[in-house]
Amino acid sequence: KTWRGTRVSMCSVGAAAPDEVDLRSDTVTKPTPQMLAAMAAAELGDDVLGDDPTVQALESKVAEFFGKDAAMIVPSGTQGNLISILAHAWGRGCEYIVGDRAHSYIWEQGGPSQFGGVHARAVQNLDDGTMPLDEVAAAVRGDDLHFPTTALWCLEDTHNMCGGRVLPLDYIDQAGALAREKGMKLHLDGARVWNAIVSSGVDAARRLQPFDSVSVCLSKGLGAPIGSV
């Protein structure tokens, strides 16, 4: 059978097998008993005052894992992408380049436009999740008062609407070089980047080195009830 372009084999191996496998989404994973016990025993504090040691430990661990300066836990991947986009394209009249099949372009209610006045400029996604570098370069706005200002380029890895494809490392490096050449920041919607790391065998910090920011989900395949960083 197939589900969203991914081939899935299903078979019965007797009474020990589960009655059904829920393939609606990888977000339906649930915490293990060990995770629930850790939640119940977690040391708590006020997150607004910055003295929740569990939150601080999680944010520090994720930042170190991905080779970034800092991290912040948020309720959802949509919010993580929104905060990142607005942090880079903070001026009204800014624009970000994004794939025409990107989750942040199709499925996140146009949040950057709603909340930040940031315009999305779509460039085609190829079937492997990449965006043609020459088309991205051509989409960068020139210095003209009639144009919005191109501030950011967003990529997605793995790419949901392109069958869960993993972006090639050499493409990521080329994208980083192009973004620097054009004066853009580079953001990754890495909701499922954990899968890309395992599939590629490339260290997380190395894989994300060209990106100025990344949003990663804890609720997709990892068993956490909510949350992104």
Side-chain angles (χ1 to χ4, degrees), residues 95 121 137-150:
E95 181 174 74
R121 187 169 196 185
V140 176
R141 301 286 188 171
D143 184 12
D144 189 308
L145 59 81
H146 298 91
F147 296 157
T149 301
T150 306

Side-chain angles (χ1 to χ4, degrees), residues 94-182:
C94 281
E95 181 174 74
Y96 70 103
I97 295 172
V98 64
D100 64 352
R101 285 188 266 176
H103 190 281
S104 59
Y105 181 61
I106 299 175
W107 301 104
E108 298 181 12
Q109 291 194 346
S113 296
Q114 285 194 57
F115 298 108
V118 183
H119 181 254
R121 187 169 196 185
V123 172
Q124 70 163 326
N125 278 121
L126 302 180
D127 289 341
D128 64 355
T130 64
M131 300 161 63
L133 297 177
D134 59 339
E135 295 185 20
V136 172
V140 176
R141 301 286 188 171
D143 184 12
D144 189 308
L145 59 81
H146 298 91
F147 296 157
T149 301
T150 306
L152 175 67
W153 177 13
C154 296
L155 288 171
E156 184 176 333
D157 190 26
T158 58
H159 201 293
N160 185 13
M161 298 299 291
C162 292
R165 299 294 293 272
V166 176
L167 297 182
L169 183 62
D170 61 345
Y171 177 82
I172 292 174
D173 288 340
Q174 292 174 52
L178 177 60
R180 291 190 296 272
E181 175 190 337
K182 297 295 184 180

